[in-house]
Amino acid sequence: MDIPRILVALAEPTRLAAMQIIWDGGEHCVCELMDRLNTSQSRMSRHMKALRDAGLVLDRRDAQWVRYRRNPDLPRSVECIIDAVIVAAAANQKVAA
Amino acid sequence: MDIPRILVALAEPTRLAAMQIIWDGGEHCVCELMDRLNTSQSRMSRHMKALRDAGLVLDRRDAQWVRYRRNPDLPRSVECIIDAVIVAAAANQKVAA
DNA sequence: ATTGCATATGCGCTAAAGCGCATATGCGCA
DNA sequence: TGCGCATATGCGCTTTAGCGCATATGCAAT
């Protein structure tokens, strides 16, 4: 559990947005994320790799797709960080809107 | 409230350690932090500037010293992030010890 | 005014992050 | 086997972060 590494992973806006999508519990392929976050394929793929390397998400091959999902085995302390970050980011988006 | 900027600020180990010291509520000069965190003067000063620029701490001139303290006006959502990060970092240090 | 301690900052350097582009790989289907 | 979609990655580039060193600034005391 490398806290700085986790924070770095969450500190990039596109990665944070991806976490917001994934954290609810579903599985999401790269192409879906890349469409919803309006970014390129290679960029999205690399960002997902960063989240995976930080231990925040898991991935699974499903035919031609790779499905990413939240890592269910994170320590509670790390889940608390992510919850707090997502809440704060969501609150911020409301203010901005 | 720029969440990514806050996360970047917290993602550096020395800055995170400084936040752990400051978050309790006291005032701490750069020389104290630099001694306790075993780092150089310029490095510590710059890291404190980063925390200040992120809005996490405030500073105050007191004679030859500059006292840093936690920013009491942070939104609750941001305080939650910092609390969670500090708890997780502390838990980690126990495991490592 | 000078000295000394505390802090900030300009400068140059190195390392790392992030990106686009092109290409490779994995998989299903015809 | 060959094609097409989804994903990953090598490469080169640009930007940014972080550092040490030296120096500037602020303040107090002599």
Side-chain angles (χ1 to χ4, degrees):
Chain A
M1 293 313 113
D2 184 341
I3 306 295
R5 187 184 186 86
I6 288 169
L7 295 173
V8 167
L10 295 173
E12 204 283 333
T14 298
R15 289 197 295 260
L16 176 51
M19 284 299 288
Q20 286 184 287
I21 292 174
I22 282 189
W23 205 237
D24 290 336
E27 284 191 319
H28 304 268
C29 60
V30 177
C31 60
E32 179 200 341
L33 295 168
M34 135 193 182
D35 284 348
R36 291 178 61 177
L37 302 179
N38 196 33
T39 188
S40 75
Q41 190 273 317
S42 72
R43 190 167 175 270
M44 195 73 245
S45 175
R46 275 184 222 273
H47 279 318
M48 294 316 294
K49 172 175 165 52
L51 292 174
R52 176 158 40 82
D53 288 350
L56 303 183
V57 302
L58 300 178
D59 63 331
R60 163 178 86 86
R61 247 297 159 194
D62 176 15
Q64 31 204 317
W65 299 277
V66 173
R67 314 281 188 185
Y68 282 90
R69 67 185 184 283
R70 134 181 210 166
N71 179 358
D73 296 325
L74 285 171
R76 182 124 183 70
S77 60
V78 172
E79 288 185 338
C80 286
I81 294 176
I82 302 171
D83 286 341
V85 168
I86 287 179
V87 165
N92 235 36
Q93 286 158 207
K94 280 194 184 169
V95 170
Chain B
M1 296 311 112
D2 184 341
I3 305 297
R5 186 184 186 87
I6 288 169
L7 295 173
V8 167
L10 295 173
E12 203 284 331
T14 297
R15 288 197 296 259
L16 177 51
M19 285 299 288
Q20 285 184 288
I21 292 174
I22 283 190
W23 205 237
D24 289 337
E27 283 191 320
H28 305 268
C29 61
V30 176
C31 59
E32 178 200 342
L33 295 168
M34 136 193 180
D35 285 346
R36 292 179 61 177
L37 302 179
N38 196 35
T39 188
S40 75
Q41 190 274 318
S42 73
R43 191 167 175 269
M44 195 73 246
S45 174
R46 275 185 223 273
H47 279 318
M48 294 316 293
K49 172 174 164 51
L51 291 175
R52 177 159 38 85
D53 288 351
L56 302 183
V57 302
L58 301 179
D59 63 331
R60 163 177 87 86
R61 246 298 160 193
D62 175 16
Q64 30 203 318
W65 299 277
V66 173
R67 314 281 188 185
Y68 282 89
R69 66 186 184 282
R70 136 180 207 168
N71 179 358
D73 296 326
L74 285 171
R76 183 123 183 69
S77 60
V78 172
E79 289 185 338
C80 287
I81 293 176
I82 301 172
D83 286 340
V85 167
I86 287 180
V87 165
N92 235 38
Q93 286 159 207
K94 282 194 184 169
V95 169

